[in-house]
Amino acid sequence: MSDPVLAIETSCDETAAAVVDGRRILSNVVASQAELHSVYGGVVPEVAARHHLTTVNAVVDQALADAGLTLADISRIAVTRRPGLIGALLVGVATAKSLAYATGKDLVMVDHLHGHIAATWLEPVALDPPFVALTASGGHTRLDLVENYAAPVLLGQTLDDAAGEAIDKGARLLGIPYPGGPGLEALAREGDAGAFDFPVGLKGRGPSADFSYAGVKTALLYAVRELGEEGTTARRADLAASYQEAIVRPLADKLMRAADTHGVPAVSIGGGVAANGRLRELVTEGAADRGLQLAIPDRALCTDNAAMIAAAAAFTPIIAWPDFVGEDAIATAPPGGIAA
Ligand code: KG4
Ligand code: ZN
């Protein structure tokens, strides 16, 4: 039976809409604002919100057109409610509420992190629990035990910076424009990952599932200062490779350790940093060594998108028309977890 969901995501700097029917993606449109923010070296919340406002309707129209559907064919509407930039979130939430209200449809308000984890539910990956999920993005770095897509259980998270945040800040130090991930990865491919011994966060802390990236960021800053401008330019690729390694290796190692601890048959990676080729290589090796199934969604489903929001919506309570009228966007994540 056809049950298409229209999902909208505007929590940060991508304006995204998608149509998903069950586990099947019918369309997935992402209008990135990255270029707009790169002149500032990072996302400017007010600029993001204003741009979402001018783009969101066109992105929704495109998602419907790509799916070959009209709003009348849609069963219900899903939207990212939290966490994120409040002005940016509000644009998506107001758009989704208006569309749902005007068309008499129910609304599902989704947690963005739940979306990153639920991306693996979609075809062609279509992973079924139990598994351990690594989510590493610009705002979050965490491990969850997923025995049921409706309620991932937090195993560990970053105690300071997110992995993507550390990547973007490090890239900036090396003169790579925002967002630094793809540029850092390209530069790292030409360098030696063993050239600099950057510290791995929480290394001496035994089997903790938590992460820390403040130390490695500072270590890169000191290395760049010590090398000076000329020295840094000469060693840029080695710096990038060593820095990338210090960030992605603990992600892979702790994912594998959590899989061992919880005895699951599968692991997954998601979030923008999961687009990283070196991380993909390390988790592929780790999973093969242990005979684990590895689920890696397509890059377009790792970075922010609305298809993943539709996926999480399948495991989030539906708010019946018109009870959602008083519902709001929320900037923060709930303590320790993911909001249902
Ligand atoms: O999930 P995402 O698109 O947005 C957030 O929810 O934050 O993640 C964005 C992060 C940025 O820090 C970006 O630099 C990083 O993902 N990223 C990468 C790569 N592509 C994106 N990091 C490393 N290597 C990449 N290829
Ligand atoms: Zn994200």
Side-chain angles (χ1 to χ4, degrees):
M1 199 190 75
S2 164
D3 184 32
V5 175
L6 168 68
I8 299 173
E9 148 68 40
T10 63
S11 67
C12 191
D13 62 343
E14 334 275 357
T15 317
V19 179
V20 173
D21 188 1
R23 294 175 100 150
R24 207 155 56 88
I25 301 173
L26 301 186
S27 67
N28 191 22
V29 178
V30 179
S32 177
Q33 306 177 3
E35 216 169 286
L36 209 67
H37 297 283
S38 75
V39 285
Y40 307 106
V43 178
V44 182
E46 180 68 9
V47 172
R50 281 168 190 267
H51 199 72
H52 284 310
L53 204 52
T54 57
T55 315
V56 70
N57 288 338
V59 169
V60 167
D61 288 348
Q62 189 64 52
L64 288 168
D66 287 358
L69 299 176
T70 68
L71 208 46
D73 304 316
I74 296 295
S75 298
R76 68 197 152 278
I77 296 177
V79 66
T80 305
R81 182 218 283 267
R82 73 193 297 177
L85 304 170
I86 190 66
L89 285 164
L90 274 169
V91 176
V93 167
T95 304
K97 276 167 63 177
S98 310
L99 286 173
Y101 188 78
T103 54
K105 296 182 200 302
D106 299 339
L107 187 70
V108 192
M109 301 188 81
V110 173
D111 186 302
H112 180 85
L113 288 169
H114 197 186
H116 276 302
I117 294 168
T120 48
W121 180 71
L122 297 166
E123 288 171 2
V125 171
L127 178 66
D128 287 317
F131 62 97
V132 174
L134 166 70
T135 309
S137 71
H140 305 273
T141 303
R142 56 186 286 148
L143 287 171
D144 286 271
L145 174 62
V146 184
E147 289 181 299
N148 175 342
Y149 271 109
V153 175
L154 178 70
L155 300 175
Q157 62 187 332
T158 183
L159 303 179
D160 39 58
D161 292 351
E165 191 181 348
I167 284 172
D168 291 340
K169 286 180 179 161
R172 197 174 170 181
L173 274 174
L174 297 176
I176 298 162
Y178 174 85
L184 187 83
E185 182 181 352
L187 186 59
R189 248 179 260 127
E190 288 152 36
D192 171 8
F196 291 87
D197 190 19
F198 289 131
V200 169
L202 307 182
K203 203 172 181 179
R205 287 256 203 115
S208 163
D210 289 329
F211 303 90
S212 168
Y213 286 111
V216 68
K217 206 179 60 187
T218 310
L220 177 66
L221 178 68
Y222 286 156
V224 164
R225 272 195 198 151
E226 203 166 296
L227 285 164
E229 210 174 309
E230 252 176 58
T232 298
T233 306
R235 307 287 310 275
R236 252 175 113 235
D238 286 345
L239 285 164
S242 305
Y243 187 68
Q244 173 179 269
E245 192 73 12
I247 290 172
V248 301
R249 189 170 278 282
L251 295 176
D253 287 351
K254 291 190 179 195
L255 174 62
M256 296 308 151
R257 197 189 296 151
D260 291 345
T261 305
H262 295 279
V264 292
V267 290
S268 74
I269 60 171
V273 180
N276 184 270
R278 179 60 183 148
L279 175 61
R280 286 172 174 238
E281 218 171 82
L282 288 171
V283 294
T284 303
E285 282 167 18
D289 284 351
R290 290 167 173 78
L292 294 169
Q293 183 189 350
L294 170 63
I296 310 186
D298 203 62
R299 277 184 170 78
L301 292 176
C302 287
T303 51
D304 286 352
N305 66 88
M308 71 181 199
I309 300 305
F315 302 95
T316 305
I318 294 172
I319 309 175
W321 185 94
D323 298 350
F324 51 77
V325 168
E327 297 289 338
D328 218 342
I330 303 170
T332 55
I338 285 169

